[in-house]
Amino acid sequence: MRSVKAGWSATCSRSGMRTSDALTRSRRAILLATMVVVVGGLYFARDVLIPFALAMLLSFLLAPPVIRLQRWGLPRLPAVLVVTLLAFSVIGLIGWLVAGQINDLASQLPQYRYKIAAKIETVRTPVGGALGKASETVKALGEEINATQPAVRDPAPVQKVQIVEPPLSTTQLLRTTLAPLLDPLATAGIVVVLVIFMLLQREDLRDRLIRLIGSGQVGATTSALNDAAQRVSRYLLMQTTINGTYGLAVGIGLSAMGLRGAALWGLLCGLLRFIPYLGTWLGAAMPVVLSLAIFDTWTRPLMIIGYFILLETLAYAVMEPWLYGLSTGVSPMAVLVAAIFWTWLWGGVGLFLATPLTVCLVVLGKFVPQLGFLNVLLGDQPVLEPKDRVYQRLLALDQEDALDLLEKSLRDSSLEEVYDTVLIPALALAEADRHRGDLDEHKESFILQSMREIIDELGEHSLSAASADVAKQEAQTQADSTYARLRVLCLPARDEADELVGLMLAQLLTADGFSARPVSTGLAGELVNRTEQEQAHVVCISALPPGALTPARYLCKRLRARLPEVRIAVGLWNAALDVRTAAERLRCDGTVEVVTTLAAARQHIRQLVQPIVLHVQGTEREPARA
């Protein structure tokens, strides 16, 4: 009967697992189909969505001054109209100035073509030196070869025919002139109207969004909207700060180098830098071309090119990591991929909107569980815990990177904390995989050997740092002199993983002043004999789950039966059990304490040796009194 029930339970379990796997696959298929439909909708509805996205971005930018005017006592409608009129007037003025400067440059380029041609000629035919002489020799040989060839009789002249088109009518002229401007003007008009209405109805729009996508989850939806608004606003503020500083530096530098229209070029470079990656070089191209046309030599054009490279390096390496890199929550790789994606989807406008739209996607991934993959793919926060990252590096046979991660953790934490929260849990993951058969012999050997070398290196760094702390040394001199007489052995319960944790504990106890030693793996009888030979005062049995409780209990009983005077502690490292439950399962001796962390082990060992320390200190005082 029991076998029938067990078989039925196993069958139900397998059926449940198959049903769960089928549901997971169907959910993934539905999610993938939804993503394809959404991307297709974004592409085919771009004529409607682009003005809406531009208006939303501008409303984020213009909302703070509108709120400020309202706080000063101006009603909402006049405040919105004043801010919107001022903003679009500035945008229109900048566009008109830039267009006029470009037209002026285009009209003057024919006057400078001889200077540009002369610069190109100096590059193609260098004067002086071996290269110049070789070029002149090749040119002379070509002229001599052409002179020796017989002259070719000129063919009969060809009569040219000129086609004269009739003049355009007024309607055709207006159509030819205004047709290219109709789409941009229409888009600009739609954006202006949308910005005004978004600023006027911002609370109502927010309430409708909460009702639409957050029914029953008002708190989470409000937090998501506030987070998105704050991140986009921070992005715009930081980007405006960086680009304004960049444009000011461009204007001052170009003016000092004598380039015409330096203030305008600085303004244009600052504005174009809002376009990720491409905008900087678009803004720099125009002053460089103008310098080629104006100046007679290559000196100042090369200075201008070098100046732009210097400014971009400073902005990228200093200002952006300091301000912009911490403002959006989007990883640099995600910004690059987003720029490519939105440019493919919406063209140049998509490139301009890439970062704000990606910020909104990251916020959705943060607050909507079904879209959590967006936060994982696009966010800038680590998606793996330190223990998982260290174990992954070791699985990839990358010991150096694992050591770098641990050294970075040591900057903010002590060696004890790094061992307890990072290295021991990583070792526990390796042990769990080994017991499941997921680790081959080569990787298992590499991980254990790498762990041993990492522990040795971290211990050396910690001991050298502790020896440099003179004040701490002086405070512990008396305790160290007593602790140094106490022998502590760290015995592994079963395998090499237990031995490695014992090595960590021995390092920490040595730093405390104890005479602590880790013992290599062996049979229980060998470990008991080693303890008796060393005349240890305290023994800590190191046991790392899974499957470590039984050998730890057996070794503890052997020690207690053979050496009843030895103080014993059992470390069940990284155990999921409660300490009291673990002690009950251990069933070794009522005096044996169970600990789960190195910090608790160090504290408990100090308590165990306290009677011995008091006895030694009292023995030393008695001869002094006599």
Side-chain angles (χ1 to χ4, degrees):
M1 188 68 179
R2 291 181 180 177
S3 61
V4 173
K5 289 183 179 180
W8 174 254
S9 300
T11 303
C12 292
S13 176
R14 288 193 296 270
S15 177
M17 291 177 61
R18 287 195 296 269
T19 303
S20 177
D21 293 341
L23 288 174
T24 302
R25 287 194 295 270
S26 64
R27 289 172 182 172
R28 290 176 180 175
I30 292 172
L31 181 60
L32 181 60
T34 304
M35 291 176 60
V36 172
V37 171
V38 169
V39 172
L42 290 173
Y43 179 77
F44 290 107
R46 60 186 180 274
D47 293 336
V48 176
L49 295 176
I50 286 176
F52 183 80
L54 286 171
M56 183 178 295
L57 179 63
L58 288 173
S59 66
F60 277 122
L61 185 62
L62 299 180
V66 170
I67 295 173
R68 181 60 58 86
L69 289 179
Q70 287 184 259
R71 289 176 179 174
W72 288 349
L74 193 65
R76 173 169 295 190
L77 180 59
V80 170
L81 292 178
V82 168
V83 172
T84 305
L85 180 63
L86 182 62
F88 283 99
S89 298
V90 172
I91 293 173
L93 178 62
I94 293 173
W96 179 72
L97 291 175
V98 171
Q101 186 68 25
I102 292 174
N103 289 332
D104 182 60
L105 177 61
S107 63
Q108 292 180 4
L109 279 179
Q111 303 176 13
Y112 301 123
R113 64 180 180 180
Y114 296 107
K115 294 183 179 180
I116 298 176
K119 290 184 178 66
I120 297 175
E121 188 67 20
T122 58
V123 176
R124 294 176 56 188
T125 57
V127 180
L131 187 60
K133 293 179 181 179
S135 177
E136 293 176 358
T137 303
V138 172
K139 186 176 180 181
L141 288 174
E143 292 176 353
E144 291 180 1
I145 292 172
N146 291 331
T148 58
Q149 293 180 355
V152 181
R153 183 176 298 175
D154 293 335
V158 179
Q159 188 174 3
K160 297 180 180 181
V161 178
Q162 185 176 4
I163 300 175
V164 179
E165 296 182 357
L168 297 175
S169 63
T170 305
T171 304
Q172 292 175 336
L173 182 62
L174 290 175
R175 184 182 303 168
T176 305
T177 306
L178 297 179
L181 300 176
L182 287 179
D183 286 343
L185 289 175
T187 302
I190 294 173
V191 170
V192 172
V193 174
L194 285 175
V195 168
I196 293 175
F197 276 95
M198 285 182 179
L199 292 174
L200 288 174
Q201 304 291 329
R202 61 178 183 271
E203 287 85 1
D204 182 65
L205 289 174
R206 183 182 60 188
D207 294 343
R208 293 180 185 276
L209 282 174
I210 293 174
R211 180 65 181 87
L212 181 64
I213 65 178
S215 180
Q217 297 180 349
V218 177
T221 308
T222 303
S223 300
L225 292 177
N226 291 338
D227 192 8
Q230 290 174 2
R231 291 196 189 192
V232 173
S233 298
R234 285 199 306 267
Y235 162 73
L236 293 174
L237 178 61
M238 297 300 104
Q239 194 75 332
T240 302
T241 303
I242 295 171
N243 295 348
T245 306
Y246 181 87
L248 180 63
V250 168
I252 294 174
L254 296 183
S255 176
M257 285 182 268
L259 187 67
R260 182 181 303 172
L264 179 61
W265 297 125
L267 179 61
L268 183 62
C269 289
L271 292 174
L272 287 177
R273 209 175 180 278
F274 278 97
I275 300 176
Y277 304 109
L278 189 60
T280 300
W281 307 114
L282 286 177
M286 298 179 187
V288 170
V289 172
L290 183 61
S291 67
L292 291 174
I294 291 178
F295 301 118
D296 296 329
T297 62
W298 279 96
T299 304
R300 292 193 183 182
L302 291 177
M303 289 174 59
I304 292 175
I305 294 173
Y307 185 63
F308 273 107
I309 294 175
L310 175 63
L311 287 180
E312 183 61 23
T313 303
L314 291 175
Y316 179 77
V318 179
M319 293 194 68
E320 287 187 358
W322 180 38
L323 296 175
Y324 168 66
L326 301 176
S327 63
T328 62
V330 182
S331 66
M333 186 64 187
V335 172
L336 178 59
V337 174
I340 297 172
F341 173 77
W342 290 107
T343 303
W344 166 75
L345 202 64
W346 285 354
V349 179
L351 182 62
F352 178 73
L353 296 172
T355 302
L357 291 174
T358 308
V359 169
C360 296
L361 291 178
V362 170
V363 174
L364 282 176
K366 180 179 178 182
F367 288 94
V368 180
Q370 293 80 1
L371 301 177
F373 66 94
L374 292 175
N375 189 28
V376 173
L377 293 175
L378 304 176
D380 61 349
Q381 297 298 321
V383 295
L384 293 177
E385 295 183 10
K387 62 176 183 178
D388 299 313
R389 297 172 68 191
V390 169
Y391 181 50
Q392 186 275 328
R393 301 305 192 271
L394 293 176
L395 280 177
L397 308 181
D398 190 352
Q399 180 180 345
E400 292 296 328
D401 202 3
L403 181 59
D404 290 340
L405 290 174
L406 291 167
E407 288 178 346
K408 290 178 182 177
S409 300
L410 274 176
R411 297 172 187 171
D412 302 321
S413 306
S414 65
L415 182 64
E416 178 187 80
E417 293 172 343
V418 172
Y419 280 164
D420 274 333
T421 60
V422 182
L423 200 55
I424 293 179
L427 187 58
L429 291 174
E431 279 292 284
D433 284 349
R434 185 178 70 85
H435 280 268
R436 287 194 299 265
D438 295 338
L439 277 182
D440 56 38
E441 185 177 352
H442 172 66
K443 285 188 176 179
E444 178 187 350
S445 175
F446 176 83
I447 290 173
L448 294 175
Q449 182 62 29
S450 299
M451 285 277 192
R452 186 178 298 276
E453 294 174 1
I454 287 173
I455 293 169
D456 289 338
E457 188 160 351
L458 293 180
E460 289 178 2
H461 288 319
S462 177
L463 290 176
S464 61
S467 62
D469 193 348
V470 180
K472 183 178 179 181
Q473 281 186 340
E474 292 177 354
Q476 292 185 347
T477 300
Q478 184 177 1
D480 288 350
S481 62
T482 306
Y483 285 161
R485 306 178 190 181
L486 303 179
R487 290 175 294 279
V488 181
L489 291 186
C490 301
L491 305 181
R494 182 178 51 182
D495 52 26
E496 191 173 352
D498 303 331
E499 179 185 340
L500 290 176
V501 185
L503 177 59
M504 300 179 205
L505 179 59
Q507 280 185 356
L508 298 174
L509 292 175
T510 301
D512 290 339
F514 288 97
S515 176
R517 297 180 185 177
V519 179
S520 301
T521 56
L523 298 177
E526 297 174 353
L527 298 177
V528 173
N529 292 334
R530 177 69 181 274
T531 304
E532 187 176 11
Q533 293 172 3
E534 294 285 341
Q535 297 180 356
H537 297 89
V538 178
V539 169
C540 182
I541 300 174
S542 174
L544 184 66
L549 191 61
T550 300
R553 179 171 60 242
Y554 177 70
L555 179 58
C556 180
K557 289 183 177 181
R558 292 286 301 270
L559 284 169
R560 180 56 69 216
R562 180 89 167 268
L563 303 170
E565 73 283 357
V566 174
R567 291 165 173 80
I568 302 175
V570 177
L572 289 179
W573 317 117
N574 201 53
L577 295 174
D578 180 64
V579 175
R580 183 177 300 176
T581 305
E584 292 175 355
R585 290 192 179 183
L586 186 66
R587 296 195 307 273
C588 174
D589 189 350
T591 62
V592 175
E593 184 78 16
V594 177
V595 294
T596 57
T597 63
L598 296 179
R602 294 173 73 182
Q603 182 178 1
H604 179 61
I605 289 173
R606 292 192 193 99
Q607 294 175 357
L608 287 178
V609 301
Q610 193 63 28
I612 304 176
V613 171
L614 294 176
H615 175 71
V616 171
Q617 292 176 351
T619 304
E620 291 176 349
R621 292 193 190 100
E622 287 180 359
R625 292 174 182 174

